[in-house]
Amino acid sequence: MSGKTLYDKLWDAHVVRSEEDGTALLYIDRHLVHEVTSPQAFEGLRLAGRHPWRTDSVLAVADHNVPTTDRRHGITDPVSRQQVETLDENCRVFHITEFRMDDTRQGIVHVIGPEQGATLPGMTVVCGDSHTSTHGAFGALAHGIGTSEVEHVLATQCLLQKKSRNMRVRVEGKVASGVTAKDIALAVIAEIGTAGGTGYAIEFAGEAVRALSMEGRMTLCNMAIEAGARAGLVAVDQTTIDYLKGRPYAPKGALWEAAVAAWADLHSDEDAMFDREVVIDAAEIRPQVTWGTSPEMVVPVDMAVPDPDAEPDRVKAESMRRALEYMGLKAGMPITEIAIDKVFIGSCTNSRIEDLRAAAAVVKGRHVADNVKLAMVVPGSGLVKRQAEEEGLDEIFIEAGFEWREPGCSMCLAMNADRLEPGERCASTSNRNFEGRQGQGGRTHLVSPAMAAAAAVAGHFVDVREF
Amino acid sequence: MRAFTTLTGKVIPLDRANVDTDAIIPKQYLKSIKRSGFGPNLFDDWRYLDPGEPGMDNSRRRPNPDFVLNDPRYAGGSILLARKNFGCGSSREHAVWALDDYGIRAVIAPSFADIFFNNSFKSGLLPIVLDETEVDALFAAVTATPGYTLTIDLEAQAVSTPEGRRFYFEVDPFRKHCLLEGLDDIGLTLQHADEIRAYEAKRRQEAPWLFAAE
Ligand code: SF4
């Protein structure tokens, strides 16, 4: 019998019972909750007279609707305010820990979980949010769920699941300087497509993945969902352990020692079998820029906007045409000639301290170009913000003409006041370039923090390796 | 949950691949704390020419005449036909609620995004995967035939065309059972509460750090 993959191990350790057709009741160790996808779940509990099974497994935070400017006056949009207040109230009534808007620990749910050590190796982690895949960077089985499932997990501590298939993406060799985890993620999506990972859990492996910091691994796993996979995974190693040590929710003392010993097994066995394996040469990866309205519509920065006429697949060519029209671009145009109106550095993909350091290093001593109407940095959490301020990054950004904001999802999906106006073009470090994602009619180009920073200074996309 | 057994309904052809959940129901409508009322804003950005905000009177907005939902031919349709990777993007179940609220009971496509697929069953919306060639054939038939209807039989796992063709689809036995009976997942799971407690007790021994709060 062949060995087990990391996914197999995590799955097997959490099965409470199985139905004949393979549907399993999977035990959930950590449940993260935010304001957008939870109100109907709490309402469901209330209507059925049910209670949360294990409140100490739940951690809640409001992130999607919160303003990124002065918070002293609360949320002005009454609908957004009601949603945040509903979360506050549900957490109060059901005795759930919540980092409220005025708490320094508040931030994007996928940033604060790991930051607090609330995400641990070997856990199952769920959240009513597709980017829960982020937490897989810790060797945890983590994926997004819908609101009915949020209610199910609250009520039963379990999830009804069918096992996914195993895929491994090995990124072998070293990436060139200026090439980041974001570029690896986009290059993987370019390779397998946005539906390539559908039905799979993707384990990211190989020398270039091992070399990534935890921040980088989180960026990579974060975008597993853009590749179609509900869960991304990276095996546990010393980098994982060093990151977690001493974090508030991480175990302490003897418990920590026992945990670290158990985590040594959280990797795929040598002889484990994968249903699909993809190998990518790290040295080939160049800084990536999306040109269309799906993350798979992406090319290296030194290339041109592709031509739909050269695409043999009719449905694909049609989507390309529609995307070019929406994006206001012409086939054959060099990526570096695309001028931008706004810059957004933030989101659960790229708002951690390392991302901000990378962007600050590019803008230091330079200034945002005149044609750029707004360049903003939105740290992923209050703690990331404080750390950045201790390092003086805020001043670098402000001197360069950036706005330095309060933490939250912000212009990643524009549920708060931060958004693109119709036709505006944005260099964004977020994860989705769908039509209207950052504001109706807005045009999003996904890039790494360093690439976004360089674009802010130049006023158009540039190759950060030559900047 | 509402049960799903058989359905005969008009088909709405949405000839696009990678229809994402942001397109199905744009973010501004996610601020609602209810499960219903999303139907008028289904595909909002494509459906109306003017920007929409929650609380607007949609009857006063300008419909986009080129969008399929505004084509009188497909009015009252309850089966949506789409291309591959339908429902990709976010986990928002609001996408399913919006389709449901509009009156869509089944979506047929060559493939679906995992989370959307899963969410659909929770509201009694049936996602049906057919081959790309079968989907092509259906698109051709729908556009050529005004008032084109299909009949879906979940028990038989079949989609029948008016010309008498039958396309078979897969569905997990467990999901099929829940859908046919209209069963509540949570109630079902809670029947196994003792097993969950036993698992929990074992895990507390094996991996106590998973149960240590801050
Ligand atoms: S930052 Fe963006 S992708 Fe991440 S949780 Fe918030 S809205 Fe979702």
Side-chain angles (χ1 to χ4, degrees):
Chain A
M1 209 179 92
S2 60
K4 285 181 173 188
T5 65
L6 172 56
Y7 173 64
D8 294 339
K9 291 180 186 180
L10 292 167
W11 175 270
D12 291 350
H14 289 89
V15 174
V16 173
R17 60 171 276 123
S18 301
E19 300 292 334
E20 265 169 38
D21 72 347
T23 304
L25 203 56
L26 209 61
Y27 189 82
I28 302 304
D29 297 309
R30 176 66 68 200
H31 188 183
L32 302 166
V33 167
H34 68 75
E35 80 277 21
V36 182
T37 55
S38 67
Q40 298 85 352
F42 283 112
E43 180 67 10
L45 281 189
R46 221 178 263 121
L47 289 174
R50 290 176 175 135
H51 297 282
W53 182 280
R54 221 187 101 202
T55 47
D56 67 343
S57 70
V58 191
L59 182 60
V61 71
D63 53 4
H64 287 62
N65 280 280
V66 299
T68 57
T69 46
D70 192 354
R71 287 187 181 164
R72 274 171 306 181
H73 309 293
I75 305 176
T76 39
D77 174 357
V79 210
S80 285
R81 188 171 62 233
Q82 184 193 28
Q83 200 165 54
V84 173
E85 285 172 353
T86 303
L87 179 67
D88 295 346
E89 180 61 11
N90 284 328
C91 290
R92 193 185 64 75
V93 172
F94 290 109
H95 307 289
I96 286 168
T97 306
E98 183 197 3
F99 295 167
R100 294 175 75 135
M101 209 168 77
D102 54 1
D103 191 317
T104 4
R105 298 170 300 175
Q106 181 270 341
I108 305 171
V109 66
H110 309 308
V111 174
I112 66 156
E115 185 174 75
Q116 291 295 320
T119 301
L120 294 174
M123 274 185 164
T124 40
V125 180
V126 294
C127 173
D129 194 283
S130 59
H131 288 100
T132 309
S133 58
T134 311
H135 308 261
F138 290 83
L141 175 54
H143 56 71
I145 55 177
T147 298
S148 296
E149 292 176 316
V150 170
E151 186 181 338
H152 192 279
V153 175
L154 281 171
T156 70
Q157 206 60 36
C158 292
L159 193 63
L160 281 162
Q161 272 285 109
K162 265 248 159 135
K163 196 175 174 195
S164 305
R165 283 175 294 166
N166 281 290
M167 184 190 301
R168 178 160 62 186
V169 174
R170 274 170 36 214
V171 189
E172 295 296 355
K174 291 188 173 62
V175 290
S177 126
V179 175
T180 67
K182 181 64 160 286
D183 303 300
I184 299 179
L186 288 168
V188 169
I189 295 165
E191 175 78 23
I192 69 172
T194 47
T198 304
Y200 291 97
I202 302 182
E203 178 174 346
F204 296 100
E207 187 190 351
V209 174
R210 296 254 69 85
L212 291 174
S213 64
M214 285 319 294
E215 282 87 347
R217 294 178 190 182
M218 284 189 255
T219 301
L220 189 57
C221 288
N222 174 274
M223 290 195 74
I225 186 69
E226 271 64 53
R230 288 180 88 169
L233 287 166
V234 176
V236 176
D237 62 9
Q238 197 57 41
T239 307
T240 325
I241 291 164
D242 292 345
Y243 178 96
L244 287 169
K245 191 161 192 197
R247 301 215 170 236
Y249 281 73
K252 312 270 165 4
L255 217 48
W256 168 258
E257 298 303 329
V260 170
W263 296 342
D265 187 43
L266 293 177
H267 56 80
S268 290
D269 294 335
E270 285 284 333
D271 56 345
M273 296 282 288
F274 288 85
D275 301 289
R276 184 174 174 201
E277 185 141 43
V278 176
V279 182
I280 292 179
D281 180 0
E284 292 281 303
I285 303 176
R286 290 171 274 166
Q288 308 280 312
V289 181
T290 64
W291 55 268
T293 52
S294 162
E296 70 188 13
M297 294 173 169
V298 63
V299 288
V301 61
D302 50 7
M303 305 254 299
V305 175
D307 185 357
D309 291 342
E311 172 57 56
D313 180 328
R314 190 193 64 81
V315 176
K316 220 170 177 179
E318 200 36 55
S319 332
M320 288 172 74
R321 270 183 213 108
R322 207 191 304 271
L324 287 183
E325 189 184 325
Y326 181 86
M327 295 296 288
L329 294 173
K330 291 239 157 4
M333 180 179 184
I335 295 290
T336 49
E337 281 178 18
I338 302 173
I340 53 166
D341 305 304
K342 287 186 175 167
V343 178
F344 171 62
I345 296 176
S347 90
C348 58
T349 314
N350 284 127
S351 63
R352 298 178 184 83
I353 190 68
E354 207 183 81
D355 301 314
L356 305 192
R357 285 182 193 138
V362 172
V363 302
K364 189 166 186 178
R366 290 163 155 152
H367 202 274
V368 169
D370 289 342
N371 62 307
V372 175
K373 291 183 246 177
L374 171 73
M376 63 196 286
V377 183
V378 184
S381 72
L383 293 175
V384 168
K385 181 169 187 252
R386 193 167 73 190
Q387 168 85 27
E389 287 170 354
E390 280 166 10
E391 296 179 17
L393 304 185
D394 56 328
E395 280 164 31
I396 296 176
F397 284 119
I398 293 165
E399 272 166 30
F402 278 83
E403 293 194 11
W404 178 248
R405 298 288 188 90
E406 297 295 328
C409 294
S410 179
M411 209 159 71
C412 173
L413 98 162
M415 264 185 92
N416 68 355
D418 310 333
R419 68 185 63 173
L420 297 180
E421 297 303 324
E424 277 183 345
R425 190 180 295 287
C426 181
S428 178
T429 67
S430 56
N431 43 53
R432 287 186 178 140
N433 50 351
F434 299 154
E435 287 183 22
R437 170 78 178 183
Q438 296 192 289
Q440 207 196 24
R443 294 161 171 166
T444 303
H445 295 269
L446 304 176
V447 286
S448 74
M451 284 287 287
V457 171
H460 54 86
F461 291 107
V462 282
D463 189 338
V464 71
R465 294 172 302 176
E466 295 160 6
F467 198 64
Chain B
M1 187 185 69
R2 190 184 57 225
F4 188 111
T5 49
T6 57
L7 165 75
T8 298
K10 246 202 236 179
V11 182
I12 307 173
L14 180 64
D15 197 356
R16 298 193 190 209
N18 298 312
V19 171
D20 59 76
T21 52
D22 280 75
I24 300 174
I25 184 81
K27 78 291 239 77
Q28 61 272 35
Y29 303 106
L30 309 188
K31 294 179 187 180
S32 164
I33 56 172
K34 301 206 178 71
R35 253 175 201 269
S36 54
F38 297 101
N41 300 106
L42 174 68
F43 297 118
D44 199 85
D45 284 0
W46 292 343
R47 192 163 156 197
Y48 301 99
L49 292 169
D50 44 359
E53 285 301 328
M56 268 185 176
D57 176 358
N58 291 298
S59 65
R60 310 182 75 137
R61 293 173 63 196
R62 282 187 299 134
N64 173 3
D66 296 332
F67 186 60
V68 66
L69 287 196
N70 296 322
D71 187 335
R73 230 181 107 165
Y74 304 115
S78 57
I79 299 171
L80 189 71
L81 183 66
R83 298 288 181 181
K84 74 167 183 46
N85 201 25
F86 186 86
C88 61
S90 91
S91 67
R92 63 186 72 159
E93 200 163 317
H94 312 67
V96 174
W97 302 335
L99 288 161
D100 180 73
D101 199 55
Y102 180 84
I104 305 289
R105 298 284 170 263
V107 183
I108 300 176
S111 62
F112 290 88
D114 286 340
I115 304 181
F116 176 88
F117 189 79
N118 225 27
N119 285 342
S120 299
F121 289 95
K122 311 284 175 184
S123 296
L125 174 78
L126 182 62
I128 297 176
V129 178
L130 293 183
D131 278 357
E132 206 121 24
T133 49
E134 294 168 343
V135 169
D136 273 342
L138 288 176
F139 266 106
V142 175
T143 38
T145 325
Y148 192 80
T149 60
L150 288 172
T151 296
I152 297 165
D153 181 345
L154 177 58
E155 181 60 54
Q157 297 179 212
V159 177
S160 320
T161 71
E163 318 78 83
R165 287 182 73 185
R166 262 163 103 79
F167 300 118
Y168 292 93
F169 59 91
E170 294 289 321
V171 55
D172 284 345
F174 182 72
R175 279 183 170 139
K176 179 177 171 180
H177 170 69
C178 292
L179 212 48
L180 284 170
E181 306 289 327
L183 296 176
D184 161 28
D185 273 3
I186 298 179
L188 277 184
T189 299
L190 286 174
Q191 291 174 6
H192 306 297
D194 288 346
E195 278 170 87
I196 302 172
R197 275 188 215 102
Y199 171 91
E200 222 165 30
K202 179 175 69 100
R203 284 294 273 181
R204 266 182 208 278
Q205 295 287 318
E206 288 169 3
W209 56 87
L210 294 177
F211 296 83
E214 190 197 7

